[in-house]
Amino acid sequence: MTEVAILISGGGSNMVRLVESMAQDHPGRPCLVLSNKAEAGGLAKAQSMGVETAVVDHRPFKGDRAAFGHAVQAELDRAGAEFVCYAGFMRIMDPGFAGAWRGRALNIHPSLLPKYPGLNTHERALEAGDTEAGCTVHEVTEDLDDGPIRGQGRVPILPGDTAKDLAARVLGVEHQLYPKVLKRVLCGDHTPVELNEG
Ligand code: GRF
């Protein structure tokens, strides 16, 4: 059984699906939900599902990313974490932390990487006139949104779509994709998961 820690910053909708997916017939177990924000709505959801939670506020570290990484690592060690899922976690971890978890950490990003790393992905896809969008689960490396791709989900961009419309459509696929990728990766299978809502 692999002890899985999930990092969030907000509502944690992907975290909820990941925890639910590990409830039975799964090689992973949620050992911790950690947020950099005490007010993150996902913390109460995790507690209601019986998952231990922790908060490591990034602000006292004033941009000392390595010190923040050490504080997060201390909580992961305390919980016995063996694998990390970033799920709506809005902090960029220092290379030392990312390197320590290389091969044992996944992130979900709301674009079809390598297109649109970083922020405002839906606005950028609409601005570019793309006809499809989607999400990517990738291994976390020292480079932002750049690790080996372990799954992608595609959705159509429809006439008149706003960024909000597109975000909602992509999020629905994220909720299907991430649990499938986590289970496959924890089973040692690196074959990318491909979902297509087109
Ligand atoms: C989603 O767009 C996800 O792609 C990104 O963070 C956003 C919120 O995710 N990683 P969640 O609802 O907190 O899981």
Side-chain angles (χ1 to χ4, degrees):
M1 184 67 70
T2 301
E3 300 296 328
V4 178
I6 305 172
L7 308 183
I8 66 170
S9 294
S13 70
N14 277 290
M15 174 275 297
V16 169
R17 273 63 179 193
L18 290 174
V19 169
E20 290 172 342
S21 74
M22 290 186 264
Q24 67 271 332
D25 183 30
H26 200 287
R29 190 186 78 82
C31 67
L32 181 69
V33 170
L34 181 148
S35 180
N36 62 303
K37 293 191 172 184
E39 68 275 21
L43 291 169
K45 295 175 190 173
Q47 288 157 7
S48 72
M49 294 188 287
V51 182
E52 183 185 348
T53 61
V55 173
V56 179
D57 187 337
H58 62 277
R59 291 171 302 184
F61 298 96
K62 294 186 178 21
D64 183 345
R65 292 185 190 276
F68 176 62
H70 291 143
V72 172
Q73 184 60 48
E75 291 296 334
L76 297 178
D77 289 342
R78 188 178 52 75
E82 300 166 303
F83 198 93
V84 175
C85 288
Y86 296 63
F89 188 65
M90 302 309 281
R91 303 305 297 174
I92 299 172
M93 301 305 288
D94 69 287
F97 182 93
W101 288 98
R102 185 180 262 269
R104 301 185 294 149
L106 295 172
N107 178 50
I108 189 155
H109 179 77
S111 79
L112 294 171
L113 291 172
K115 292 183 79 172
Y116 312 128
L119 300 173
N120 304 316
T121 59
H122 306 305
E123 290 84 346
R124 291 152 70 190
L126 291 169
E127 184 64 31
D130 293 352
T131 56
E132 73 171 1
C135 49
T136 302
V137 176
H138 62 94
E139 288 201 13
V140 176
T141 66
E142 292 84 340
D143 300 318
L144 180 67
D145 299 333
D146 190 52
I149 290 175
R150 297 296 180 227
Q152 288 195 308
R154 297 172 183 275
V155 300
I157 294 178
L158 304 174
D161 268 347
T162 64
K164 190 174 179 183
D165 298 331
L166 190 50
R169 192 173 306 129
V170 170
L171 193 59
V173 177
E174 291 180 32
H175 294 162
Q176 300 171 55
L177 179 70
Y178 212 166
K180 290 183 186 321
V181 173
L182 176 61
K183 185 169 187 177
R184 185 173 289 189
V185 167
L186 291 185
C187 289
D189 180 355
H190 284 173
T191 310
V193 175
E194 295 292 339
L195 298 180
N196 191 327
E197 295 280 299

